[in-house]
Amino acid sequence: MRQIGTPHPRLPLPPAGGEDDMADFLAWLGEAIPMVPALGIREMARDGDSLAWALSLSPSLNDKGTGFGGALTAQTTLLGWCWTTLWLRRQGLARDVVVAEATQRFLAPVTSDYRLTCEPAADDAPAALAERLAQCGKGRIALVQRLWCGDTLCLEARGDYAVLPAS
């Protein structure tokens, strides 16, 4: 059982030049962050610079029978954290990531199972982060998360994620 103030053990880095198995990463995430199994994540996939989750709506229902904004916000924030953490792991870096700033814009009610996507806010953001890490040992990246019910964009979120210096 997780103890307050005690970090969860890190997942070993993938082999040099390799990538994480998404199912293994999601299983580790569920152990590291106790609320993750209750989020309704059915699948996690990476496509180029985009990371996506397929989610069930039922765990995140509000009193109106649609998506609860607080749950959706938590999911967008966590997806950005996952994007940054997985990007670092592909670079061979085991580093701490924290959300520095986040905003959300709710555009339509979430009325069915949905997908969340996350990608850099700018095409050159990953290269800029890599350069900043090499020069300063820390850095930030701006990411955009979008929640889709079918073809309807229901939520757009933006977050800045800070990569902390190595301890």
Side-chain angles (χ1 to χ4, degrees):
M1 183 153 132
R2 292 293 313 280
Q3 297 296 315
I4 295 171
T6 303
H8 189 70
R10 290 186 191 270
L11 186 64
L13 288 171
E19 293 194 23
D20 283 286
D21 176 276
M22 293 293 109
D24 289 347
F25 182 82
L26 194 54
W28 170 84
L29 190 65
E31 295 169 5
I33 302 175
M35 70 182 262
V36 167
L39 294 179
I41 304 167
R42 296 188 323 238
E43 183 182 352
M44 182 174 186
R46 201 172 79 72
D47 182 16
D49 271 345
S50 181
L51 183 64
W53 284 348
L55 296 107
S56 298
L57 176 58
S58 57
S60 299
L61 285 173
N62 64 17
D63 59 317
K64 294 160 208 60
T66 61
F68 172 59
L72 305 176
T73 296
Q75 292 165 358
T76 61
T77 301
L78 182 58
L79 183 59
W81 181 91
C82 288
W83 188 101
T84 308
T85 298
L86 289 165
W87 181 87
L88 287 164
R89 292 172 58 77
R90 285 193 311 278
Q91 313 310 307
L93 301 170
R95 300 288 287 280
D96 287 329
V97 174
V98 296
V99 61
E101 186 175 344
T103 61
Q104 302 79 33
R105 192 168 57 121
F106 295 88
L107 305 168
V110 178
T111 58
S112 65
D113 292 350
Y114 53 97
R115 72 184 187 284
L116 268 175
T117 62
C118 180
E119 59 193 18
D123 290 341
D124 64 345
L129 176 59
E131 184 176 327
R132 182 91 172 135
L133 289 171
Q135 290 176 350
C136 303
K138 61 182 181 177
R140 284 170 79 141
I141 188 165
L143 301 172
V144 176
Q145 300 89 17
R146 292 182 178 94
L147 186 154
W148 300 88
C149 286
D151 293 331
T152 302
L153 178 60
C154 298
L155 167 65
E156 185 170 75
R158 293 182 179 272
D160 283 353
Y161 293 82
V163 179
L164 304 179
S167 50

